[in-house]
Structure formats: C-alpha cells, structure tokens
Amino acid sequence: MAARRGDTALAVRRLAAAPGATDGEFLLYQARIAALLGEREEAITKLSTALRRGVYDFHWMQHESRFDFAAIASDPRYRRLMGLPAVSP
C-alpha cells in the first residue's frame, strides 16, 4: 500500500480512480489511509460506513489492517466497531 510507504498522495489518487466508490471494501481502504494520515474523525466515519455496507472476508481484513489503524486503536468508537474490549483507564 502506497500510504504505508509514506506516499499518501499516490494512495489517494489510486483510490479516487478506482471503481466501486460505494463498496464497503473501498471505504475501508479510505478509512485506513485516513488513519495513517492522523485524520481520526474521517477514519472512524469511513470505517463505520464500510462496516454497515459490508466488507468481504472482514476477519481477514481486520487482521491485515490493524497496523494502519494503530493511531486510533485506543479510540472507544474504533474499539466498538472492531468488537474489541474497552481500554481500561
């Protein structure tokens, strides 16, 4: 993924040109890029929408994308969406 290598501009361009902008998988990739960019609110919103629309093979995707979501992993909304237990204070 270009965003992981630091080329978020390329990642955004590739996603913009990709078909299926309303698919859950596409929105999940957008959420991952937003999280990598530190855009917490956008990442949570896109992740929530992606999950409502459906993500094929979600359990595999959840494992694959966990590093991309590291910056928001302690957010209670993210944890609820991903079915993770709350973080103790």
Side-chain angles (χ1 to χ4, degrees):
M1 176 180 235
R4 281 190 196 150
R5 293 190 308 270
D7 195 348
T8 53
L10 174 61
V12 169
R13 283 194 310 276
R14 285 183 177 167
L15 279 176
T22 60
D23 294 336
E25 288 86 1
F26 181 74
L27 288 166
L28 179 62
Y29 283 115
Q30 288 183 321
R32 291 167 70 177
I33 290 172
L36 287 167
L37 292 173
E39 298 169 357
R40 178 181 301 262
E41 295 305 317
E42 183 174 350
I44 295 290
T45 299
K46 288 187 185 271
L47 177 60
S48 177
T49 304
L51 294 176
R52 277 196 316 275
R53 291 188 181 173
V55 176
Y56 176 74
D57 205 5
F58 176 68
H59 296 291
W60 175 84
M61 230 9 168
Q62 184 178 13
H63 175 73
E64 174 70 20
S65 63
R66 72 182 184 281
F67 298 112
D68 298 337
F69 289 117
I72 63 170
S74 63
D75 188 299
R77 298 168 297 170
Y78 171 80
R79 299 190 71 74
R80 272 192 305 278
L81 287 168
M82 300 304 276
L84 299 171
V87 176
S88 300

